[in-house]
Amino acid sequence: TVNQKRVLITGAGSGLGRALAFCFAENGWRVACADIRLDRAQDTVRLMRDFGVGAMALKVDVGSDASVESMHGEILAAWDGVDVVVNNAGVASAGSVAQTSLDDWRWTLNIDLMGVVRGCHAFLPVLLEQGSGHIVNIASFAGFANAPRMGAYSAAKAGVISLSETLRAELANTAVKVSVACPAFFSTNLMDTARAPEADKATAKKFMAKATQSADDVAAVIFREIRRGAFLILPTKGERGRWRAKRFAPELFFRKLVAMAGKAGNKS
């Protein structure tokens, strides 16, 4: 129907992106599932058939200006506009600042930060012209915590938080909303494509395995908070307390962070 709301989600072929696609579809939204792997995006669309909503699969590489522009063209050709844009696609990397190659820095920043910038840049004019809409950027609690051996990833995610705060200020007098979601560890396939030493991958996988929340749980919280119009979304348990500790007792937070990282490193 004409009144059906429309959402575009990047990285919708797996993990949090797929879980978010299901949340929107269950609530009657039309969903555009974009992913660097078209086959995975098509799988998500197939799995959503039971919801009886319009869904389409698109191939996008958020690391490429031309690819994001092409996705923008496809969305407008199919829908004329879009109500929510979820910049979710991302990659993981780890390793010390001294040892992470400049290529790995560029790769991480280009996808995790510039990928979000490209999404905002392409769709903001559309939302402003139609006089409504919502940009949702998926960052990470890593952007606040800045743990050791996660320099490139944390810097990219901190950039997404900063970008989202800037956008919120720029759009304060418009009907376009902004949200930024900062989950911590939960079970996902993010490590499959990660660029990281094996020991760091093993540590991350341990944290993920210990997490009590699934991608579906995290997506449900994010979806609820988007509907509420919340700006900062901390969807994983315990993160609100850690965020407060970082703000109000930064030195204590730092000591705990270093101690936790040391413990995790010894176990891996």
Side-chain angles (χ1 to χ4, degrees), residues 7-266:
V7 61
L8 162 67
I9 303 170
T10 64
S14 61
L16 181 60
R18 177 175 282 185
L20 281 166
F22 291 164
C23 281
F24 279 96
E26 276 172 333
N27 285 274
W29 286 61
R30 282 187 281 172
V31 187
C33 301
D35 201 275
I36 193 162
R37 281 188 52 182
L38 185 60
D39 59 325
R40 283 191 176 172
Q42 287 166 334
D43 279 345
T44 302
V45 168
R46 230 187 334 269
L47 291 165
M48 291 192 317
R49 283 225 176 103
D50 294 347
F51 299 126
V53 294
M56 60 177 161
L58 307 170
K59 181 176 165 63
V60 71
D61 171 5
V62 299
S64 151
D65 297 1
S67 183
V68 172
E69 268 312 307
S70 159
M71 172 178 70
H72 168 262
E74 285 182 82
I75 290 289
L76 292 189
W79 284 348
D80 298 330
V82 64
D83 300 291
V84 174
V85 176
V86 183
N87 292 305
N88 165 72
V91 291
S93 63
S96 71
V97 172
Q99 290 167 330
T100 301
S101 72
L102 293 178
D103 270 347
D104 284 358
W105 271 95
R106 274 187 283 268
W107 179 74
T108 308
L109 289 166
N110 182 45
I111 296 168
D112 287 357
L113 175 55
M114 287 305 298
V116 174
V117 171
R118 288 182 187 100
C120 293
H121 197 261
F123 288 98
L124 265 170
V126 178
L127 303 186
L128 287 166
E129 195 179 320
Q130 67 193 19
S132 68
H134 200 144
I135 295 259
V136 181
N137 295 330
I138 307 296
S140 164
F141 196 73
F144 289 122
N146 302 306
R149 305 191 63 78
M150 288 178 69
Y153 184 75
S154 297
K157 295 300 189 177
V160 172
I161 296 166
S162 174
L163 165 72
S164 304
E165 290 182 351
T166 302
L167 261 186
R168 185 190 187 195
E170 287 180 359
L171 298 170
N173 298 318
T174 74
V176 179
K177 295 194 195 78
V178 181
S179 298
V180 61
C182 302
F185 286 104
F186 61 95
S187 194
T188 168
N189 62 346
L190 194 58
M191 297 317 291
D192 293 357
T193 54
R195 293 193 184 182
E198 286 309 314
D200 291 319
K201 279 190 189 179
T203 302
K205 282 180 176 168
K206 276 198 186 108
F207 276 118
M208 285 179 180
K210 276 202 298 202
T212 55
Q213 285 164 287
S214 67
D216 291 331
D217 298 328
V218 174
V221 176
I222 293 173
F223 181 75
R224 185 190 74 215
E225 294 298 301
I226 290 170
R227 286 222 287 205
R228 276 187 54 228
F231 169 67
L232 177 63
I233 304 171
L234 299 168
T236 43
K237 290 179 182 133
E239 257 47 67
R240 195 154 284 283
R242 290 187 190 100
W243 176 73
R244 286 200 182 102
K246 166 93 188 196
R247 288 198 67 183
F248 299 114
E251 290 301 317
L252 174 66
F253 178 88
F254 175 72
R255 286 198 297 276
K256 287 196 160 180
L257 178 77
V258 172
M260 196 170 95
K263 235 191 278 182
N266 293 338

